[in-house]
Amino acid sequence: MLLNVLICQKIKLMVENAVCSTFGGAYATLQRLGDAKQYAERQIQIAEELGDQRLKCRAILYIALYHVFQGSLNEAERILNEQAEIAKQLNDPELEGYVQFVNVRLEQMRNGLLKL
């Protein structure tokens, strides 16, 4: 019985994460960054509940990207550096690629190639 409850809780969290990912991405595309950030923050909570370090790292990178587009470049860089180390420790090429993507956006913003 307890196993069934745990399985159902995990499935619920995984579905909620999928919803957060979908809506967070949609809001980011629509430049509703505050809404997108809220979904990323929920994904961090879900990752912690699931014990999923990769998911947590990815969601935190979404927060870094939020800071890039808000013009909080020092905060974005701080977060990016922390998550780059985690991605490297996890030996996850997908996460390392996303770290590079956020870093490119950060540098583009610093060089005036992106607009707020």
Side-chain angles (χ1 to χ4, degrees):
M1 183 66 157
L2 179 59
L3 182 59
N4 287 341
V5 170
L6 293 174
I7 291 170
C8 286
Q9 288 174 338
K10 185 170 183 174
I11 291 170
K12 177 185 173 283
L13 289 171
M14 292 170 71
V15 169
E16 185 178 356
N17 177 63
V19 170
C20 287
S21 184
T22 301
F23 280 96
Y27 281 130
T29 300
L30 295 170
Q31 296 183 353
R32 290 180 52 182
L33 301 178
D35 292 322
K37 183 180 180 228
Q38 287 179 341
Y39 281 103
E41 289 168 341
R42 179 60 187 138
Q43 282 186 289
I44 293 167
Q45 293 170 343
I46 291 168
E48 289 172 348
E49 290 180 50
L50 291 171
D52 187 334
Q53 188 62 34
R54 285 174 172 79
L55 175 59
K56 183 176 179 181
C57 181
R58 188 170 39 253
I60 292 172
L61 286 167
Y62 296 152
I63 300 291
L65 195 56
Y66 164 83
H67 284 292
V68 167
F69 287 108
Q70 289 299 108
S72 305
L73 303 185
N74 291 336
E75 180 64 6
E77 184 174 40
R78 183 191 67 74
I79 293 169
L80 184 61
N81 289 337
E82 290 173 359
Q83 299 314 303
E85 184 60 35
I86 291 169
K88 185 177 179 181
Q89 288 172 4
L90 292 171
N91 194 29
D92 187 318
E94 182 182 335
L95 280 177
E96 291 181 53
Y98 199 69
V99 165
Q100 291 175 356
F101 169 78
V102 176
N103 191 51
V104 166
R105 292 292 182 247
L106 174 63
E107 291 307 313
Q108 287 174 330
M109 186 65 85
R110 279 204 168 116
N111 294 319
L113 301 173
L114 287 179
K115 298 182 183 183
L116 297 176

